[in-house]
Amino acid sequence: MNDSSEGTQVMSFHTTAKALLSTLPCLLFLYVNLVMLYALLKTPLLLESSRYVLFCHLLFTESLQLFLSMLLYIFAVTMVTMINYVCMIIVMLASITLKMSPLNLAVMSLERYIAICFPLRHADIATTRRTGIAIAVMWTVGSFDSFTQLFLFVSLENTSIPMQRFCYRNNVFRLQIYSTLNKAFTIVYFVLVSTIIIYTYIAIMITVKSASSHVRNVSKAHKTVLLHLIQLCLCLTSSLFSTISSSDQSNIDPAMVVHVQYALFVGLIIFPKCLSPLIYGLRDNTFRYVFKNYFTFGCSTTIKPFPKG
């Protein structure tokens, strides 16, 4: 009895330690992201540019996805069971926000492509109104597969039955058709986004070689799209989380499943989601001064004027 009690206490300690090690970085980067988001919203001059509107949307979706991922991991660690449709809503939101990142990067790359390759038409094409329409289209495209699975779930399964295991995608969407649809849509998303980013990268690179007057701006845009390509790889690693962990776990000990989920969660969800907005935000000279001012509660240096274009 004593050995069993000690073993349970050790397992409980390890679980608590893992939960803390996972949630503390999440909370830290959530705070940084929220400060960035607040800085953007409190600087209306920045939001007159479609580039910063898209970055604001990226911060929002990345923060929401990170919060939902942390919530799902806490549910898994504590073995919380709930009604199917409650878990389904949380999983659907996490899935939609996960797809927002690559779609947002694609639109940001298109905005840079227009700014460099069609500079005279950029102000007319990349308006804030059209940027809002682009964001609405992103949410529509990103949620299409989730609502398709929701329709199938309501049609094929009983949503009122409590889950027997913790809230996890494969525990609520158990049929093979869900996994097939998820993989198919994920492939389509990343092929589409990769094509857009690679095309804009090549187009801007060609413009770099032929540029004469605004070489510095063109070269910076070229590096920005290259950064988007790197961020796309980070988004891909996050998407691999559900793919790698989608194997049949029905015959695996639940405690072992949690350990596997922990390793995948830290490696494929936390770090990519934390680094992506931070790298992009602090790389921008104008926004870096705005962020420093709010992050240090106004003790930073004077904010530089916002460059036009």
Side-chain angles (χ1 to χ4, degrees):
M1 289 289 293
N2 290 336
D3 292 340
S4 176
S5 177
E6 289 177 1
T8 303
Q9 290 178 358
V10 170
M11 266 189 84
S12 177
F13 173 77
H14 287 167
T15 300
T16 304
K18 286 183 178 182
L20 286 175
L21 289 174
S22 300
T23 55
L24 287 179
C26 285
L27 293 174
L28 172 63
F29 281 96
L30 273 175
Y31 170 72
V32 174
N33 283 3
L34 290 175
V35 171
M36 286 185 174
L37 194 59
Y38 180 79
L40 281 170
L41 294 176
K42 294 295 288 185
T43 314
L45 195 60
L46 288 179
L47 295 180
E48 293 179 5
S49 169
S50 59
R51 179 184 182 186
Y52 290 102
V53 172
L54 291 171
F55 178 54
C56 184
H57 180 252
L58 178 68
L59 283 172
F60 171 73
T61 54
E62 292 280 353
S63 300
L64 182 59
Q65 211 280 326
L66 188 59
F67 171 76
L68 291 172
S69 299
M70 181 177 64
L71 192 65
L72 287 171
Y73 178 72
I74 292 174
F75 287 159
V77 169
T78 55
M79 293 293 178
V80 173
T81 58
M82 61 187 71
I83 300 297
N84 272 332
Y85 71 85
V86 176
C87 177
M88 178 186 59
I89 292 173
I90 299 175
V91 169
M92 280 181 56
L93 282 174
S95 177
I96 293 172
T97 53
L98 182 64
K99 292 180 176 65
M100 281 298 104
S101 296
L103 291 173
N104 205 102
L105 292 176
V107 176
M108 291 173 80
S109 296
L110 285 173
E111 187 274 331
R112 287 294 86 195
Y113 165 74
I114 295 171
I116 298 304
C117 298
F118 305 97
L120 298 180
R121 300 181 57 192
H122 178 259
D124 296 327
I125 297 175
T127 62
T128 52
R129 179 177 177 275
R130 290 184 175 177
T131 303
I133 294 174
I135 291 174
V137 171
M138 279 189 277
W139 278 94
T140 302
V141 173
S143 59
F144 182 74
D145 66 322
S146 293
F147 281 102
T148 301
Q149 293 179 52
L150 173 62
F151 175 77
L152 292 174
F153 184 84
V154 173
S155 303
L156 301 176
E157 302 193 34
N158 187 352
T159 59
S160 63
I161 299 176
M163 296 184 62
Q164 300 301 318
R165 306 175 74 182
F166 57 85
C167 181
Y168 175 60
R169 181 182 183 85
N170 291 345
N171 292 340
V172 64
F173 294 110
R174 294 181 291 270
L175 300 180
Q176 181 60 36
I177 188 173
Y178 300 129
S179 178
T180 303
L181 282 173
N182 184 56
K183 290 178 181 178
F185 278 110
T186 300
I187 291 172
V188 170
Y189 285 139
F190 276 96
V191 168
L192 175 64
V193 171
S194 300
T195 302
I196 292 174
I197 294 181
I198 292 173
Y199 171 78
T200 54
Y201 177 78
I202 294 173
I204 293 176
M205 186 170 60
I206 293 173
T207 306
V208 167
K209 293 183 179 180
S210 61
S212 56
S213 57
H214 56 294
V215 177
R216 182 179 179 182
N217 291 336
V218 175
S219 178
K220 186 175 180 180
H222 167 260
K223 293 177 181 178
T224 298
V225 178
L226 179 60
L227 178 60
H228 290 173
L229 195 59
I230 296 172
Q231 286 177 288
L232 178 63
C233 294
L234 294 178
C235 293
L236 181 59
T237 62
S238 297
S239 296
L240 287 175
F241 177 77
S242 58
T243 303
I244 293 175
S245 59
S246 63
S247 57
D248 184 18
Q249 298 172 343
S250 58
N251 298 322
I252 303 178
D253 180 58
M256 181 59 68
V257 172
V258 172
H259 293 322
V260 174
Q261 293 298 323
Y262 169 77
L264 295 175
F265 175 73
V266 173
L268 301 182
I269 293 291
I270 290 183
F271 289 109
K273 289 297 173 188
C274 291
L275 295 178
S276 182
L278 191 61
I279 292 173
Y280 186 87
L282 297 185
R283 181 178 174 272
D284 187 277
N285 292 329
T286 302
F287 180 71
R288 184 166 62 245
Y289 281 89
V290 176
F291 171 71
K292 283 182 178 179
N293 183 64
Y294 282 99
F295 190 76
T296 57
F297 303 100
C299 298
S300 184
T301 56
T302 305
I303 298 175
K304 286 188 174 182
F306 176 60
K308 299 293 183 182

